[in-house]
Amino acid sequence: MGHLRGKLLPPALAIVFSLLLCGVALIISGANPLSAFGAMVSQVGKGTTAVDILNSTGIYYIAALAVAIGFQMNLFNIGVEGQYRVAAVVAAVVGGSIALPTGIHTLVIIIAAAVAGAAWAAIPAILKVTRGVNEVISTIMMNGLAIGLSAYLIRRDVFGELRGNNIRTAEIPESGWMPGISFAGGGTVFGFIFVAIALGVGYWIMMNKTRFGFELRASGESSTAASAGGVNAKKMILVSMLLSGAIAGLISLPELLGRDHTFSLNFTAGIGFSGIAIALLGRNHPGGIAFGALLWAFLDKSGLALDNVGVPREIVTIMQGSIVLSVVVAYEVVRRFELASEQRRVGRELGTVGGAA
Amino acid sequence: MSSSTSVGTDEHPAVVLTGITKRFPGVVANSDVHLTVRRGEVHALCGENGAGKSTLMKILYGMQPPDEGTIEVNGEQVRFRTPSDAIKAGIGMVHQHFMLADNLTVQENVVLGAEALHGIGKKARARIIELSGRTGLNVDPGVLVEQLGVADRQRVEILKVLYRGAKVIILDEPTAVLVPQEVNELFDTVRGMQEQGYTFLFISHKLDEVRAIADSVTVIRRGTTVGSADPKTVSSRQLAEMMVGSELPSPETRESTVTDKVMLDVRGLTLKTPDGSRAILEDVDLVVRSGEVVGIAGVEGNGQTELVETIMGMRKAGSGTITLLDKDLTKLGTLGRREAGIGYIPEDRHRHGLLLTQPLWYNRILGYQTRKPTAKGIWLDTDGAKKDTERIVADFDVRTPGIDVPAAALSGGNQQKLVVGRELSGDPVLLIASHPTRGVDVGAQALIWDEIKRARAAGLAVLLISADLDELIGLSDTIKVMLRGRLVADADPSTVTPEDLGSAMTGAGSTSAAVQETAVVEEGEN
């Protein structure tokens, strides 16, 4: 029970703390914090907001899972951003240029996206394994390259076509779409949300029940102990980066398969970076990440509601930032406290004296 | 301050500790400790690892404040907030692990932090030369510390505290890093300085040394002082029993269980530094048979660690072959070698043996993630792992409230028992034990020795690396001496003495028939 408290207390405290912080920020900027928070909560019931929040929760969830796989072994995959961008273009181009039966067509698009994401992540992974290049540096650079590559691929003389003011890839035929669940007037929940849930379950099983998950966690906890225990560090880096990239490749699919059916200039960017924050928030735990993604999506959508009551929407960014910071601090404090109390408990139950010299 | 060579009773003692108590989370490191050190004596403080010696010295040296109790120096009650308060009161400490900057000269190391005393120029140099004589250090103050041997580095450490005006010098396990000949030189230095009026507090658990050097002995057990003894009349065994509070274990294995069945066969093993410039291991041949314990003796840093890690596949050999029970391991990785039947007790259990924040049963899986009872195919068998961890906890007497506590919560000895229990499970054919009882208490030590002996009797081959020469001689059936990456001599443990081994380890050549040189030592002094 104390175990559960240790897991839930820090995020709760962090959220309360950041609410207070934002309240102060609101008062300084001359707004009424109560009415602002009221507007944020009441927006959920209006129009398609609830469904929108759910949809972007799913997208954030996939992004955070991709980041979390790297985090589990202390790999900082900043490149999720670039990986899903490249994967989105490739998936859109592949989906728009082939004709296959319904279902199979969708499956091919999903596989293409995962392979493209993994391939983009393979470059920094191989650099790290063979040359020792730090993955933080290389994945940031790959993000820059991804923007250039995607812009090139949708040029009209490559795979792009002009529609009105927008340049985009050929539209994916209906056989490649993924149907959602429609609420009359309330919007449509992306069908891919269920894939996101399945990914979360798969992630949990992998981390807790498989040898691969054990080796991943052992490497993250102590690379020296892992190598003495027969874990091949290079293989783990390569496999976890590829896996992280493959999942990153799926980030754009809810929108691509469920709504847009094409890659265009309106592409939603920045989800990879949010994924990093949400993975931190959720402590790499599939349940924690789900909660973090929901919170993130809720705050994102609040920006609009705040605009309506005359409060600067940037307050949302402050809130997101302060939550992440205070969660990280709170977990560290609780972790140290728990380790010390565990040692006290062991000492007490054994009645030992000495041993601390 | 008057310096008297006689051990006077009319004067105030140099140091009196009264009723010192210090608590840490989960443990009482010191409780109600009483210690009186008379001026001009060598006072030994004995106790097992973890008995609370180091904590007590940290309190005396101002590194940690006591929760209760008082400290008196020369009859005056003092309260030390930092080590510099202790230094001002004339107390200096020489740490077990040297705190020297290798890339600075002797003079720079000594003066560093004490520039206010005699500046950093000629005056400082003159003072250092004057004090060097007292410590037996015969090197120019301008020499870089990296060029000094271990014994001279230790003298530089003593010089440092003298330079700061210490009259009472704490030596924390000073002989741990020295070979027997160097220990004798250190003792000569200590006696010489004692005649000049210096007082020593000598911390050790090596009882022969304590009896050789000390004027009086205080024994500390489980955090509290249990008594004093006169080293001239007490025997090592009596002292040891005071330390342990019970009957003593012994590492000795008398009946030979060696068979002629070769388990590990290493041939021509060579390892180079990453830049390829220098050989760390050179042409090592090694055979370990079923039921045999082969011990490797050597001063640390002569390639023992690398030999073990190369056999384990954690380092890639330049050339040579490794065969285990007729199976060629040379091309296998660490996991493959473990699966072939090697158990591995690493020298540093925190770095290489355990996942400290994970529960005990999770640690049981490490190294066994592909085998029964902790895994089934690609799946972990957590129930199997938990059940088998319960078995280890029971059979190896791991003192823990349960198998769900993180490994970091256990004491060093219990962590080590868990590691030994794990590495002896799954019927290994070879156990590589690197310093298996380093930093563990006597109880755990006895248990670990017993388990190694039992496994040996059942036909296990053991490769033992240890800095504890008594352990090495007591457990081994064959001893090989390692020097500069080569196995240079064989010794017969039934006749060899620690002194003979010490000579061979430093390359000084052997005078004993018990040590047979097997290779020509380049750059040998003899």
Side-chain angles (χ1 to χ4, degrees):
Chain A
M1 205 194 87
H3 205 57
L4 197 64
R5 192 184 58 196
K7 284 211 161 77
L8 295 182
L9 195 64
L13 286 176
I15 289 167
V16 170
F17 176 74
S18 71
L19 278 176
L20 288 174
L21 200 74
C22 293
V24 173
L26 283 168
I27 291 170
I28 292 172
S29 70
N32 179 354
L34 290 180
S35 72
F37 293 144
M40 285 169 70
V41 175
S42 61
Q43 58 142 350
V44 176
K46 289 175 190 159
T48 62
T49 311
V51 168
D52 288 347
I53 289 176
L54 195 60
N55 282 339
S56 55
T57 299
I59 294 169
Y60 283 140
Y61 188 65
I62 300 171
L65 282 184
V67 175
I69 288 176
F71 274 170
Q72 290 280 6
M73 64 169 292
N74 293 334
L75 271 180
F76 223 66
N77 182 8
I78 310 269
V80 169
E81 184 69 22
Q83 288 145 20
Y84 92 85
R85 179 180 281 267
V86 168
V89 187
V90 171
V93 169
V94 169
S97 56
I98 54 173
L100 285 168
T102 310
I104 295 175
H105 195 168
T106 313
L107 196 66
V108 168
I109 295 174
I110 294 174
I111 291 170
V115 169
W120 202 246
I123 298 169
I126 290 169
L127 283 175
K128 186 174 174 78
V129 168
T130 59
R131 310 297 309 168
V133 177
N134 187 313
E135 78 283 359
V136 174
I137 310 288
S138 56
T139 51
I140 289 176
M141 288 162 71
M142 295 299 289
N143 285 345
L145 291 176
I147 293 174
L149 180 68
S150 65
Y152 171 76
L153 287 178
I154 60 168
R155 273 167 60 135
R156 272 190 295 165
D157 50 353
V158 188
F159 292 114
E161 56 184 51
L162 195 63
R163 275 292 166 92
N165 270 342
N166 207 348
I167 300 179
R168 57 174 225 187
T169 59
E171 184 160 89
I172 299 170
E174 206 169 333
S175 60
W177 299 1
M178 185 178 268
I181 301 167
S182 213
F183 296 92
T188 303
V189 174
F190 293 141
F192 209 80
I193 296 296
F194 296 100
V195 178
I197 294 171
L199 283 174
V201 173
Y203 170 85
W204 186 86
I205 291 173
M206 181 188 83
M207 290 313 301
N208 291 292
K209 298 288 172 199
T210 69
R211 173 188 155 193
F212 177 77
F214 175 84
E215 294 190 336
L216 204 61
R217 280 168 69 177
S219 306
E221 162 111 20
S222 166
S223 58
T224 49
S227 90
V231 179
N232 183 335
K234 289 187 172 176
K235 189 183 116 196
M236 293 310 291
I237 291 172
L238 200 63
V239 174
S240 59
M241 267 309 262
L242 290 183
L243 201 58
S244 177
I247 292 181
L250 306 179
I251 292 172
S252 61
L253 293 188
E255 291 182 344
L256 188 70
L257 300 180
R259 187 185 71 201
D260 298 343
H261 313 306
T262 177
F263 181 94
S264 73
L265 293 180
N266 297 336
F267 178 71
T268 318
I271 296 169
F273 296 125
S274 303
I276 296 173
I278 294 164
L280 279 173
L281 206 58
R283 301 294 290 174
N284 303 332
H285 185 276
I289 292 173
F291 175 77
L294 183 66
L295 183 67
W296 213 259
F298 164 76
L299 290 172
D300 263 1
K301 290 287 173 287
S302 307
L304 220 58
L306 288 176
D307 266 350
N308 292 340
V309 294
V311 172
R313 62 185 307 169
E314 281 70 26
I315 203 77
V316 166
T317 314
I318 296 179
M319 202 177 285
Q320 288 176 332
S322 59
I323 288 178
V324 172
L325 269 181
S326 31
V327 159
V328 171
V329 173
Y331 268 114
E332 185 57 23
V333 170
V334 169
R335 190 187 67 81
R336 290 186 190 185
F337 177 78
E338 292 217 315
L339 187 62
S341 76
E342 189 74 18
Q343 282 171 336
R344 259 197 305 278
R345 188 172 74 87
V346 172
R348 199 169 50 238
E349 290 191 20
L350 299 175
T352 46
V353 171
Chain B
M1 197 187 298
S2 72
S3 59
S4 144
T5 52
S6 68
V7 178
T9 46
D10 48 334
E11 298 179 309
H12 291 296
V15 174
V16 180
L17 301 179
T18 313
I20 297 285
T21 297
K22 177 75 188 172
R23 299 180 192 88
F24 288 113
V27 284
V28 182
N30 285 144
S31 80
D32 197 28
V33 170
H34 295 266
L35 179 68
T36 303
V37 182
R38 286 167 300 175
R39 202 171 299 167
E41 72 169 351
V42 175
H43 192 111
L45 184 66
C46 289
E48 336 165 14
N49 288 310
K53 301 177 305 247
S54 301
T55 307
L56 187 63
M57 289 307 108
K58 282 178 185 164
I59 290 170
L60 177 57
Y61 193 51
M63 291 162 81
Q64 277 159 355
D67 294 333
E68 289 164 28
T70 58
I71 304 172
E72 278 174 45
V73 177
N74 296 322
E76 280 176 48
Q77 190 170 334
V78 291
R79 185 170 286 273
F80 298 145
R81 279 179 197 85
T82 64
S84 55
D85 291 344
I87 291 166
K88 272 184 211 140
I91 295 174
M93 178 145 166
V94 175
H95 294 273
Q96 183 179 359
H97 303 286
F98 300 152
M99 303 194 172
L100 296 170
D102 283 357
N103 52 349
L104 298 183
T105 64
V106 170
Q107 178 172 351
E108 286 164 338
N109 267 288
V110 171
V111 171
L112 192 67
E115 296 85 352
L117 288 174
H118 306 285
I120 56 168
K122 274 193 188 142
K123 259 174 69 189
R125 187 185 157 88
R127 180 78 179 140
I128 289 170
I129 290 171
E130 182 195 334
L131 291 172
S132 303
R134 299 189 192 172
T135 63
L137 181 70
N138 294 315
V139 298
D140 186 87
V143 170
L144 289 179
V145 164
E146 67 185 6
Q147 292 167 350
L148 300 184
V150 174
D152 276 345
R153 286 174 193 224
Q154 191 167 48
R155 293 197 180 95
V156 175
E157 285 279 10
I158 297 174
L159 188 58
K160 264 168 70 180
V161 304
L162 292 189
Y163 188 82
R164 286 157 176 75
K167 290 286 172 195
V168 178
I169 298 162
I170 305 169
L171 297 174
D172 186 5
E173 308 247 355
T175 61
V177 289
L178 304 178
V179 296
Q181 284 76 3
E182 291 169 329
V183 170
N184 289 335
E185 288 173 31
L186 172 73
F187 285 179
D188 290 341
T189 304
V190 167
R191 286 195 196 97
M193 292 177 64
Q194 187 187 3
E195 279 166 20
Q196 297 163 40
Y198 290 100
T199 306
F200 285 90
L201 235 174
F202 181 86
I203 303 171
S204 182
H205 57 246
K206 294 188 181 166
L207 304 174
D208 294 329
E209 294 175 0
V210 166
R211 287 176 54 231
I213 189 72
D215 299 311
S216 51
V217 183
T218 299
V219 177
I220 185 166
R221 183 172 83 224
R222 300 185 130 226
T224 189
T225 39
V226 292
S228 299
D230 180 354
K232 303 289 179 290
T233 57
V234 74
S235 73
S236 284
R237 194 160 187 94
Q238 287 169 317
L239 261 187
E241 278 166 8
M242 279 173 81
M243 276 166 57
V244 184
S246 63
E247 238 174 81
L248 271 184
S250 136
E252 281 163 44
T253 49
R254 277 290 156 251
E255 304 146 53
S256 174
T257 57
V258 183
T259 65
D260 54 8
K261 187 177 174 196
V262 172
M263 298 300 234
L264 175 72
D265 191 356
V266 175
R267 279 179 201 275
L269 197 65
T270 301
L271 177 75
K272 293 216 186 307
T273 49
D275 58 8
S277 62
R278 196 171 57 84
I280 302 173
L281 294 177
E282 219 173 331
D283 202 20
V284 172
D285 293 326
L286 184 68
V287 170
V288 187
R289 295 178 178 81
S290 173
E292 181 184 34
V293 177
V294 173
I296 306 277
V299 178
E300 273 180 58
N302 273 284
Q304 304 93 313
T305 305
E306 289 81 2
L307 173 64
V308 165
E309 292 184 358
T310 309
I311 296 175
M312 281 310 295
M314 294 155 70
R315 291 171 186 260
K316 211 165 177 295
S319 60
T321 58
I322 299 168
T323 315
L324 185 74
L325 263 183
D326 300 325
K327 187 177 179 202
D328 186 10
L329 299 186
T330 314
K331 292 203 167 54
L332 290 181
T334 306
L335 187 66
R337 295 181 191 204
R338 278 179 163 278
E339 286 171 343
I342 303 184
Y344 173 41
I345 302 171
E347 62 176 75
D348 184 338
R349 57 181 164 271
H350 287 178
R351 263 173 68 77
H352 288 116
L354 293 167
L355 304 169
L356 286 171
T357 67
Q358 300 292 344
L360 302 188
W361 65 265
Y362 203 76
N363 274 285
R364 171 64 183 87
I365 305 172
L366 189 64
Y368 297 81
Q369 60 269 33
T370 51
R371 278 179 276 173
K372 282 180 182 172
T374 53
K376 283 179 190 155
I378 66 157
W379 302 101
L380 293 183
D381 182 351
T382 49
D383 289 335
K386 286 177 182 171
K387 202 180 283 172
D388 203 58
T389 311
E390 299 277 14
R391 173 189 67 82
I392 292 173
V393 166
D395 289 359
F396 289 77
D397 189 31
V398 181
R399 310 269 170 86
T400 171
I403 57 166
D404 287 315
V405 300
L410 299 190
S411 73
N414 285 309
Q415 288 175 350
Q416 188 74 349
K417 285 189 266 185
L418 179 74
V419 171
V420 172
R422 179 182 73 196
E423 299 302 333
L424 283 175
S425 37
D427 295 323
V429 294
L430 171 72
L431 177 73
I432 298 180
S434 240
H435 307 281
T437 61
R438 173 180 279 179
V440 308
D441 56 274
V442 170
Q445 188 176 43
L447 184 135
I448 291 168
W449 283 338
D450 282 347
E451 292 295 342
I452 290 178
K453 284 185 236 172
R454 185 176 307 156
R456 162 182 170 272
L460 182 75
V462 179
L463 181 63
L464 173 72
I465 286 87
S466 179
D468 181 342
L469 296 184
D470 291 329
E471 172 176 87
L472 208 56
I473 293 170
L475 280 181
S476 302
D477 296 298
T478 311
I479 293 180
K480 291 181 181 294
V481 179
M482 194 159 199
L483 179 66
R484 295 188 205 108
R486 295 160 146 253
L487 295 176
V488 296
D490 284 344
D492 178 355
S494 59
T495 53
V496 77
T497 64
E499 285 70 25
D500 294 337
L501 268 186
S503 303
M505 281 157 64
T506 52
S510 166
T511 52
S512 161
V515 180
Q516 308 254 298
E517 289 185 24
T518 54
V520 181
V521 187
E522 292 150 302
E523 311 150 358
E525 282 91 337
N526 278 15

